[in-house]
Amino acid sequence: MAKAKAQVEIKSFGIYDQWDKDDKKLPKVQKFTTQVPAKVDIEFGFVINIKKAKGQKIRYCIYHPDIPDKKGNVMPPFDGEEYIRNNNWDFYLGDTIWLPIEDKVGEWRMTIEIDGNEIASKTFDVNLPELDGEIGFWKKRGF
């Protein structure tokens, strides 16, 4: 008998509350957006819901701008695997910005796959606010 195809929905994306990976609760979205101000510890990403795929394995990957490591070499994309725990499963994929900020600016693409097939992706544009008006916009929102 053929496996039922997983049903996938992106539930939210953008800027989130700080996420504690040891907490069972996923972070809450603060702002739906793909435009992210480059600020230390800002949390951004997306939440997906997967149905009818319990026990299957997802592969996630975060492709970031060419961020150098401590030795000056470009860091590889961040990736990993996770088993789908139940038939109505929510999963958060996200990242934060750390010092120095300047090398974190650019496109951050986040993908999730099952069996080599991409089931969800989002691209975020991390940028330095350059205009006073834009800085004021983000500060009023607590960023």
Side-chain angles (χ1 to χ4, degrees):
M1 182 187 264
K3 276 196 260 184
K5 186 171 180 170
Q7 297 174 355
V8 181
E9 173 189 7
I10 295 179
K11 292 178 69 173
S12 61
F13 63 91
I15 298 171
Y16 289 81
D17 293 337
Q18 283 295 309
W19 181 54
D20 177 359
K21 67 179 180 174
D22 296 324
D23 190 349
K24 289 185 178 186
K25 288 193 282 185
L26 297 180
K28 291 192 188 292
V29 67
Q30 290 182 351
K31 178 179 170 82
F32 282 84
T33 186
T34 57
Q35 300 298 311
V36 179
K39 180 181 176 196
V40 173
D41 292 334
I42 194 164
E43 184 84 36
F44 64 99
F46 67 103
V47 172
I48 65 168
N49 176 264
I50 304 174
K51 292 183 176 154
K52 298 183 179 180
K54 181 180 178 180
Q56 292 185 51
K57 189 177 359 178
I58 62 166
R59 180 182 180 278
Y60 56 86
C61 190
I62 300 175
Y63 302 90
H64 45 70
D66 290 339
I67 300 172
D69 63 17
K70 291 179 181 179
K71 294 181 180 179
N73 300 317
V74 173
M75 294 171 48
F78 174 72
D79 64 351
E81 296 179 334
E82 185 87 22
Y83 281 97
I84 298 171
R85 296 186 188 116
N86 60 56
N87 276 319
N88 188 6
W89 188 61
D90 289 337
F91 179 75
Y92 171 71
L93 179 60
D95 213 332
T96 62
I97 304 298
W98 64 96
L99 291 174
I101 292 173
E102 293 75 22
D103 63 9
K104 311 309 180 297
V105 173
E107 283 193 354
W108 292 62
R109 183 165 184 263
M110 301 181 185
T111 64
I112 300 174
E113 299 176 352
I114 294 178
D115 295 328
N117 297 312
E118 187 175 289
I119 59 167
S121 72
K122 269 294 178 197
T123 301
F124 298 91
D125 183 23
V126 175
N127 52 64
L128 290 170
E130 295 178 20
L131 305 172
D132 287 340
E134 189 170 339
I135 291 171
F137 171 83
W138 291 110
K139 281 185 179 178
K140 285 179 188 174
R141 284 150 183 83
F143 297 107

